């Protein structure tokens, strides 16, 4: 009698835990791909494995839950390298499952055979036996907000599953009274909380001297706190504080800049927030004693040229709680300087990796997560013309699944200050995918087009001509 095949077990395991995955099929994962297609899981067929990986990243970031992407052996797995590296650098929980030829062909230069261990940026398993506990271990590791990779040979997927118990040990957190001046909050504060709990954190933080890293912006309304600190934010509050309490920041060079880094690290107290729950966070906040008259003369950036003025017009024309999914480019800097965040997860970007081609597929992943987790916020994708070309094919997903996303491309026919580029007709390409698209030249046109988008229920692409503009100098 045939038992439960490993690909069937994986599907059942995921079906209990997740509603949507992002995939691209291939020979070595064919049975798993088909099984998932026949399950209750919404299996989104991306145009490219890179797109599947970035969609999974967007899904994980807004939901604060793990996501799944699936790719075949060889080139399929290779195409996941950049999305998984992005997830690793930005602490995003992606479970990446890749295929491999049969075990007997490993090391034999077989078709599409390649060691994919380079995808184990954080943790990965080569699964040579169909043991159930691999999945439990992966889910446990994903709670640390890093990607996990499972590489499974084709024949192992087709073998009968071997059940093995796996126990997750939860250590009790020792919460003590903590004294300091300034509370620095990073995205680690979100721990293993559900989206509804994340939104409630702002009530815990009321009346505390708070600064945030880029990914944590909006954890408290930025009208009520110092807001972003570091390379593109306030520096004086960090310098002025005698002791900084770090709650969930990785203390990257964007937060603790080179010129002040050693000085700031010496006066920083780090609180362990790995896998923190809302109840535990509440207890930590109640045990904080902070006394800091924070720097109140924070200079706000004002639009100076055509590029930043058009971005400002877009921001002012959209609801305050809109989610902006940003690609890499000047638009990212201008948006982060101009947009005030009133809710967590307002600005989603490839913060630490600066990856072009991120925004279009990531915004699609964000939208699927918003549907699955009932998050009612508008999704806006910002791309420069160079980055937009890198994953433009994923527009087909927005069209096929009737997603409502506002895609905006800032077109200046340049790759930053590196070189000029010649662009195709983005409007015609979008229309070829079934996406309504418009070309905009003047700032005065922006508001009407956005009002039109908000009244509707489908994706729209706006291509904005922008004049090049120098970025303000960062803190160094």
């Amino acid at each position: 009698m045939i038992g439960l095949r490993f690909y069937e077990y994986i599907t059942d395991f995921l079906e209990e835990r997740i509603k949507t995955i992002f995939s691209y099929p291939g020979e070595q994962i064919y049975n798993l791909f088909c099984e998932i297609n026949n399950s209750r899981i919404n299996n989104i067929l991306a145009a490219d494995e890179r797109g599947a990986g970035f969609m999974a990243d967007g899904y994980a970031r807004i939901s604060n839950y793990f996501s799944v992407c699936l790719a075949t052996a060889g080139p399929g797995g290779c195409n996941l390298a950049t999305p998984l590296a992005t997830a690793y650098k930005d602490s995003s929980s992606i479970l990446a499952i890749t295929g491999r030829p049969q075990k007997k062909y490993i090391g034999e230069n077989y078709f599409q055979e390649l060691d994919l261990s380079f995808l184990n940026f954080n943790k990965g398993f080569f699964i040579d036996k169909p043991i159930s506990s691999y999945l439990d271990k992966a889910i446990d590791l994903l709670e640390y907000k890093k990607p996990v990779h499972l590489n499974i040979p084709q024949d192992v997927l087709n073998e009968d599953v071997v059940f093995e118990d796996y126990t997750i040990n939860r250590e009790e957190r020792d919460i003590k009274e903590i004294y300091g001046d300034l509370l620095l909050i990073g995205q680690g504060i979100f721990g293993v909380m559900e989206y509804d709990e994340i939104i409630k954190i702002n009530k815990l933080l009321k009346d505390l001297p708070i600064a945030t890293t880029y990914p944590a912006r909006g954890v408290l309304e930025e009208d009520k706190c110092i807001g972003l600190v570091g390379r593109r934010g306030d520096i004086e509050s960090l310098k002025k504080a005698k002791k900084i309490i770090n709650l969930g920041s990785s203390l990257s060079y964007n937060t603790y800049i080179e010129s002040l880094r050693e000085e700031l690290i010496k006066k920083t107290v780090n609180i362990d927030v790995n896998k923190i729950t809302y109840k535990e966070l509440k207890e930590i906040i109640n045990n904080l004693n902070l006394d800091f008259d924070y720097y109140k003369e924070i200079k706000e950036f004002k639009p100076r040229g055509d590029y930043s003025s058009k971005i400002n017009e877009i921001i002012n024309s959209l609801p305050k709680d809109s989610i902006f999914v940003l690609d890499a480019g000047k638009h990212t800097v201008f948006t982060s300087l101009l947009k005030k965040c009133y809710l967590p997860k307002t600005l989603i970007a490839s913060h630490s990796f600066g990856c072009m081609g991120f925004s279009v597929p990531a915004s699609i992943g964000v939208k699927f997560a918003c549907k699955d987790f009932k998050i009612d916020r508008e999704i806006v994708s910002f791309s420069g013309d160079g980055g937009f070309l890198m994953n433009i094919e994923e527009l087909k997903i927005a069209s096929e699944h009737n997603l409502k996303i506002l895609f905006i491309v800032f077109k200046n026919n340049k790759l930053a200050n590196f070189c000029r580029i010649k662009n195709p007709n983005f409007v015609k390409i979008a229309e070829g995918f079934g996406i309504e698209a418009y070309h905009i030249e003047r700032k005065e046109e922006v508001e009407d087009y956005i009002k039109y988008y908000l009244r509707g229920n489908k994706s729209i692409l706006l291509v904005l001509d922008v004049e090049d503009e120098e970025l303000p100098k960062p803190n160094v």
Side-chain angles (χ1 to χ4, degrees):
M1 182 177 178
I2 298 175
L4 185 68
R5 299 293 176 86
F6 196 40
Y7 70 83
E8 295 172 326
Y9 174 76
I10 293 171
T11 302
D12 291 345
F13 183 92
L14 294 177
E15 194 175 42
E16 292 177 1
R17 291 164 176 81
I18 200 154
K19 294 181 179 180
T20 302
I21 78 163
F22 306 93
S23 67
Y24 202 88
E27 179 183 348
Q28 292 81 6
I29 57 163
Y30 179 70
N31 286 340
L32 176 58
F33 180 85
C34 290
E35 189 73 12
I36 289 171
N37 262 348
N38 293 323
S39 73
R40 293 193 302 271
I41 299 171
N42 188 17
N43 188 11
I44 304 303
L45 176 60
D48 182 277
E49 292 90 353
R50 286 180 311 150
F54 284 133
M55 288 176 202
D57 193 354
Y59 189 101
R61 295 206 199 192
I62 185 62
S63 65
N64 202 44
Y65 192 61
F66 79 92
S67 61
V68 182
C69 59
L70 177 64
T72 193
C78 287
N79 282 341
L80 287 180
T82 304
L84 292 186
T86 304
Y88 171 72
K89 291 281 284 183
D90 285 344
S91 299
S92 189
S93 301
I94 298 177
L95 176 61
I97 302 174
T98 61
R100 194 116 180 228
Q102 296 179 41
K103 287 188 292 182
K104 66 181 180 181
Y105 296 125
I106 291 176
E108 297 295 323
N109 197 27
Y110 190 74
F111 177 68
Q112 291 191 331
E113 161 55 13
L114 185 69
D115 180 358
L116 294 176
S117 60
F118 59 85
L119 295 178
N120 304 348
F121 293 100
N122 176 58
K123 186 68 177 178
F125 300 98
F126 172 67
I127 300 181
D128 60 351
K129 295 179 182 178
I131 299 172
S132 64
S133 60
Y134 278 116
L135 277 298
D136 297 300
K137 291 176 184 176
I139 298 301
D140 188 22
L141 288 166
L142 285 165
E143 291 189 347
Y144 290 99
K145 304 302 177 188
K146 294 289 183 182
V148 177
H149 171 223
L150 302 181
N151 186 216
I152 314 174
Q154 184 179 18
D155 51 340
V156 175
L157 278 171
N158 296 325
E159 292 173 2
D160 291 349
V161 65
V162 177
F163 290 95
E164 180 180 272
D165 289 335
Y166 177 77
T167 303
I168 298 176
N169 294 316
R170 300 284 188 189
E171 295 183 6
E172 285 199 19
R173 207 177 299 273
D174 184 18
I175 298 173
K176 300 177 181 178
E177 197 163 24
I178 303 166
Y179 293 84
D181 298 322
L182 177 66
L183 182 61
L184 173 64
I185 293 180
Q187 65 177 339
I189 195 175
F190 302 135
V192 293
M193 299 175 213
E194 296 180 359
Y195 180 84
D196 288 346
E197 293 176 316
I198 289 172
I199 299 301
K200 292 194 299 183
I201 292 175
N202 73 88
K203 293 180 181 178
L204 300 180
L205 302 176
K206 188 178 179 183
D207 301 325
L208 292 175
I210 288 169
T212 74
T213 65
Y214 195 118
R217 290 183 64 182
V219 66
L220 180 67
E221 293 180 34
E222 289 187 327
D223 286 336
K224 300 177 181 178
C225 68
I226 295 166
L228 177 67
V229 289
R231 194 175 303 279
R232 291 289 180 185
D234 177 57
I235 286 292
E236 293 303 314
S237 55
L238 295 176
K239 291 164 64 176
K240 186 177 178 182
K242 294 177 182 177
K243 183 187 286 186
I244 300 169
I245 307 301
N246 172 29
L247 197 62
S249 168
S250 64
L251 304 181
S252 74
Y253 278 84
N254 283 330
T255 301
Y256 280 10
I257 59 175
E258 295 88 334
S259 59
L260 297 173
R261 189 169 182 81
E262 288 187 20
E263 172 193 339
L264 295 177
I265 286 176
K266 285 178 183 176
K267 62 181 181 181
T268 299
V269 176
N270 299 304
I271 301 177
D272 177 22
V273 292
N274 275 330
K275 299 188 176 185
I276 196 169
T277 64
Y278 183 80
K279 182 180 178 182
E280 289 172 328
L281 176 63
K282 187 175 182 179
E283 189 175 351
I284 287 174
I285 297 299
N286 289 337
N287 279 274
L288 286 176
N289 281 285
L290 300 174
D291 182 19
F292 184 48
D293 183 17
Y294 64 78
Y295 186 67
K296 294 185 174 68
E297 297 179 12
I298 300 170
K299 295 179 181 178
E300 292 190 3
F301 175 76
K302 300 293 183 183
R304 300 174 182 177
D306 181 72
Y307 203 151
S308 59
S309 294
K310 284 176 177 171
I311 286 177
N312 196 52
E313 186 70 19
I314 294 167
I315 291 170
N316 291 335
S317 300
L318 285 160
K320 284 185 176 182
D321 65 350
S322 298
I323 300 166
F324 291 79
V325 185
L326 310 174
D327 216 74
K330 288 189 174 182
H331 64 274
T332 305
V333 177
F334 288 136
T335 305
S336 67
L337 291 171
L338 290 165
K339 173 62 183 171
K340 279 195 175 180
C341 300
Y342 298 92
L343 287 175
K345 312 283 189 176
T346 291
L347 298 179
I348 293 175
S350 179
H351 306 291
S352 298
F353 210 44
C355 183
M356 293 174 67
F358 172 84
S359 178
V360 170
S363 64
I364 290 170
V366 168
K367 185 62 179 183
F368 276 112
C370 285
K371 293 174 73 173
D372 288 350
F373 290 85
K374 295 179 171 55
I375 300 169
D376 186 18
R377 298 169 68 180
E378 295 291 345
I379 315 299
V380 186
S381 166
F382 275 6
S383 299
D385 40 11
F388 185 64
L389 278 170
M390 288 189 175
N391 277 310
I392 195 171
E393 69 275 8
E394 302 302 349
L395 287 177
K396 81 180 190 72
I397 307 300
S399 177
E400 288 173 2
H401 294 271
N402 299 311
L403 305 179
K404 185 184 179 185
I405 301 171
L406 179 59
F407 296 101
I408 298 182
V409 182
F410 299 99
K411 179 173 169 285
N412 63 357
N413 301 305
K414 287 184 70 177
L415 294 179
N417 295 324
F418 302 116
C419 64
R420 297 197 65 80
I421 57 174
K422 186 175 181 179
N423 286 305
N425 188 322
F426 292 130
V427 170
K428 286 186 177 180
I429 292 174
E431 289 173 346
F433 283 117
I435 300 288
E436 197 172 330
Y438 300 95
H439 179 218
I440 299 175
E441 295 180 349
R442 297 183 302 110
K443 184 183 75 172
E444 292 73 22
E445 300 175 86
V446 168
E447 185 179 5
D448 286 342
Y449 277 107
I450 290 180
K451 284 181 178 178
Y452 172 69
Y453 161 78
L454 292 172
R455 288 195 300 269
N457 58 3
K458 59 185 177 182
S459 288
I460 288 179
L461 171 70
L462 300 180
V463 181
L464 270 71
D465 286 344
V466 291
E467 296 174 11
D468 199 22
E469 181 179 341
E470 288 298 315
L471 294 175
K473 292 182 179 180
N475 299 311
V476 293

